[in-house]
Amino acid sequence: MKKVLVIALGGNALLQRGEVLSAENQYKNIALVAEVVATLSRDYRVVIVHGNGPQVGLLALQNLAYPAAPPYPLDILVAETQGMLGYMITQKLGHIAGMPPVSTLLTRVEVHGDDPAFQTPGKYIGPVYSPEQEAELREQYGWQMKQDGQYIRRVVASPRPQRVLDVEGIKGLLALDHVVVCAGGGGMPVVQVTEGYCGVEAVIDKDLTASRLAVELGAEHLMILTDADAVYQGWGTPQARALEDVTPMQLRPFAAPDGAMGPKAEAVIEFVEQTGNVAWIGALKDAPAILAGKKGTRVHL
């Protein structure tokens, strides 16, 4: 049986920064994703976890256009983005000859209600704004805002994923050789209560969820695809150097929570240390070359 490969797709794979969040633009970007996944599915059973920051932020904004109806909570908005993006990815993959069956599974992920992230929101969602708009946005919507490059963006709580509740369904689909799209946007965040599970106001980091899922599936490989072709030492300086082959210990300095690479580095470190298997970080377009050891950053014990 083919090995299991879990892929975490960065937001840039679905929408380039600065693009209008239209269905047309997302389909255009997803077409590139589909080509890569089709290639990988020949040799692996593929699981796709995708981001949803721009999409869930747009849904939240659309909520606000109807003041007579109370805004929907973030866990429900995450579910909506899972269905929307899962459908779009499935459509594009289905256009490729020879693809295995593709299934999207709405996925709940358990978090702890006392996670410190609820007190210090830091997960970006929605579009970018100019810094001059911050006071207006805070007053109008009560949002917390944070610097994102030269812009500002809304931030929400992002608790750590503890358990993927629907993992058995994912295993069943993989056993049937389906490509599985799941845990989109990090999964619907839920906490355990007396009567079962209850959704909470949060968006989980999709890279950490992909790592947690890969461990629970017993996946052989985890690949985090982003807009950088590798992890770089001295990023942004003339001395910048791509890291090609590293251990978790060597990568740990890049796992700082305030850095763009932080959650990605943390995710692959956790996977490698818990399974002993290999993980990669690199660019979407390089995915086949990354698995062949020619591109990206390879992380191993």
Side-chain angles (χ1 to χ4, degrees):
M1 187 170 283
K2 293 186 290 187
K3 294 180 178 180
V4 175
L5 168 64
V6 176
I7 298 173
L9 292 174
N12 65 292
L14 307 177
L15 188 78
Q16 299 296 318
R17 181 178 284 264
E19 281 186 328
V20 174
L21 215 168
S22 65
E24 180 182 3
N25 282 336
Q26 291 178 90
Y27 267 132
K28 176 191 68 179
N29 291 310
I30 290 170
L32 302 177
V33 172
E35 292 177 10
V36 171
V37 172
T39 300
L40 298 177
S41 68
R42 297 171 194 156
D43 300 312
Y44 297 93
R45 288 179 289 157
V46 178
V47 178
I48 301 170
V49 178
H50 59 78
N52 75 338
Q55 293 81 8
V56 76
L58 177 64
L59 288 179
L61 284 170
Q62 291 172 339
N63 262 333
L64 298 173
Y66 298 93
Y72 278 53
L74 280 173
D75 60 304
I76 293 178
L77 298 186
V78 170
E80 290 183 26
T81 62
Q82 282 192 22
M84 175 182 71
L85 293 170
Y87 163 72
M88 296 174 79
I89 293 169
T90 299
Q91 285 289 91
K92 283 299 182 183
L93 285 170
H95 293 167
I96 299 176
M99 274 296 301
V102 183
S103 294
T104 295
L105 185 68
L106 296 183
T107 313
R108 298 165 299 158
V109 175
E110 183 180 359
V111 300
H112 287 162
D114 60 356
D115 192 298
F118 287 107
Q119 306 305 318
T120 56
K123 175 70 174 175
Y124 293 116
I125 67 168
V128 296
Y129 299 91
S130 68
E132 292 76 22
Q133 295 175 274
E134 181 169 0
E136 177 188 349
L137 293 166
R138 287 181 184 271
E139 180 179 352
Q140 186 172 2
Y141 302 126
W143 291 348
Q144 294 196 49
M145 309 297 293
K146 187 177 177 181
Q147 198 78 23
D148 183 12
Q150 61 182 317
Y151 304 99
I152 58 170
R153 286 179 76 187
R154 181 187 176 188
V155 288
V156 298
S158 185
R160 293 187 66 84
Q162 302 297 325
R163 187 161 66 100
V164 179
L165 298 183
D166 302 296
V167 69
E168 292 305 319
I170 299 167
K171 288 179 179 178
L173 290 167
L174 286 173
L176 296 172
D177 199 30
H178 283 224
V179 171
V180 185
V181 185
C182 60
M188 287 92 77
V190 298
V191 296
Q192 190 165 20
V193 294
T194 304
E195 60 271 23
Y197 290 94
C198 177
V200 291
E201 278 283 287
V203 176
I204 307 170
D205 183 85
K206 64 99 179 42
D207 295 316
L208 295 178
T209 292
S211 177
R212 183 73 254 145
L213 175 61
V215 171
E216 294 183 19
L217 288 175
E220 283 80 8
H221 302 300
L222 170 66
M223 184 160 54
I224 295 183
L225 299 176
T226 181
D227 51 358
D229 61 357
V231 180
Y232 277 79
Q233 191 170 40
W235 174 259
T237 71
Q239 293 76 37
R241 179 178 66 88
L243 302 178
E244 298 177 356
D245 203 67
V246 295
T247 65
M249 182 178 295
Q250 291 169 318
L251 189 63
R252 200 169 298 281
F254 297 86
D258 58 345
M261 191 58 69
K264 296 170 176 54
E266 187 176 356
V268 296
I269 288 170
E270 287 188 3
F271 173 75
V272 172
E273 289 185 338
Q274 291 185 37
T275 67
N277 294 331
V278 178
W280 295 270
I281 298 175
L284 170 66
K285 62 181 176 61
D286 295 331
I290 290 169
L291 287 171
K294 299 176 181 178
K295 294 277 189 176
T297 297
R298 178 177 181 266
V299 187
H300 60 93
L301 292 178

